[in-house]
Amino acid sequence: MTDQCKVVIVRWPGQAPSARDGLADLLAAYHLQTQAEKGEAVAGVEELPDRYRLEIADPQAVFVDDVVLLALSGDTAVGCLVVTASVDGRTEVKRLWTDPKFRGRGIASSLVSAALVHAAEGGVRTVRLSVWKWRTGAIALYERLGFTVTESWDERDQLVCMERAVAS
C-alpha cells in the first residue's frame, strides 16, 4: 500500500464492483463502530438495524440519488462520504469514515473538501451534517473546515447538527 490516496467521486450506478465492495466494507465498519459507541454493540452486520444492513448490502440502491465519494489507496477504498441530493439549495454529508489504518493522512479532510466542491458545482448554498457529540475529533475537523453548530433538525439525543455556506 502507498501513503498516497486520492478522492474519487463515485456516482451510482456505474462504479467498478471492487470499489462498491470496498464501500460496503467501509459502511459496515462505520455502522458497527457507531453502534458500539452508542452502547448498543452488535456482534456483526447481521445484527445491525435493517436500514444500516441495507446500506451495506446494496449501497447502489440506497444511495441512488446521492453521490458517494471514495478515497482510494491504489484500488482499495480507504475512506467514504455520502453527499445527499440537493433539496431547496441544501445538501447533507453523512457516513464519513476512514479506515483506522489510514487515519492521520488527511483523507477525511479531502473527502469533506471534495463534497464541498461537488456541492458548489451543483449550485448548493448550504451543506449540513449531524455528528454524535462524543466524536470530538470529527467535530473539530468540521469546525476547521468552516462548519458551525446550528439548531438541531434531528430529535436524537446527543447529536450535534452543523452547517456551512458553500462558496459559489
Side-chain angles (χ1 to χ4, degrees):
M1 285 186 218
T2 69
D3 282 350
Q4 297 298 318
C5 295
K6 61 182 178 174
V7 176
V8 176
I9 295 178
V10 177
R11 300 183 200 288
W12 302 109
Q15 180 58 36
S18 62
R20 184 174 62 236
D21 293 343
L23 176 61
D25 292 341
L26 292 168
L27 290 169
Y30 171 89
H31 287 301
L32 290 168
Q33 180 66 36
T34 300
Q35 287 299 113
E37 289 173 357
K38 290 191 291 188
E40 302 169 7
V42 295
V45 169
E46 62 284 346
E47 296 178 35
L48 287 168
D50 290 344
R51 68 182 184 273
Y52 301 143
R53 281 198 328 267
L54 184 56
E55 283 184 15
I56 296 162
D58 195 358
Q60 186 170 351
V62 172
F63 301 124
V64 67
D65 294 325
D66 304 325
V67 172
V68 177
L69 284 69
L70 289 177
L72 302 175
S73 177
D75 292 333
T76 303
V78 297
C80 65
L81 181 143
V82 175
V83 183
T84 64
S86 177
V87 176
D88 297 326
R90 185 179 325 159
T91 192
E92 187 169 350
V93 295
K94 59 186 184 176
R95 307 300 184 253
L96 175 61
W97 183 258
T98 301
D99 181 324
K101 295 179 294 215
F102 289 85
R103 290 190 181 158
R105 301 181 191 187
I107 293 169
S109 295
S110 294
L111 286 165
V112 175
S113 295
L116 294 169
V117 168
H118 171 74
E121 290 172 349
V124 170
R125 294 183 309 273
T126 305
V127 174
R128 67 184 196 170
L129 59 89
S130 59
V131 59
W132 296 106
K133 75 175 186 178
W134 59 79
R135 289 191 168 157
T136 55
I139 292 170
L141 167 70
Y142 296 137
E143 287 174 336
R144 281 194 308 275
L145 295 172
F147 287 84
T148 58
V149 175
T150 190
E151 185 175 332
S152 181
W153 59 82
D154 192 307
E155 296 180 14
R156 291 179 288 174
D157 189 35
Q158 301 192 46
L159 203 61
V160 176
C161 293
M162 304 179 83
E163 66 181 16
R164 71 161 274 180
V166 176
S168 49

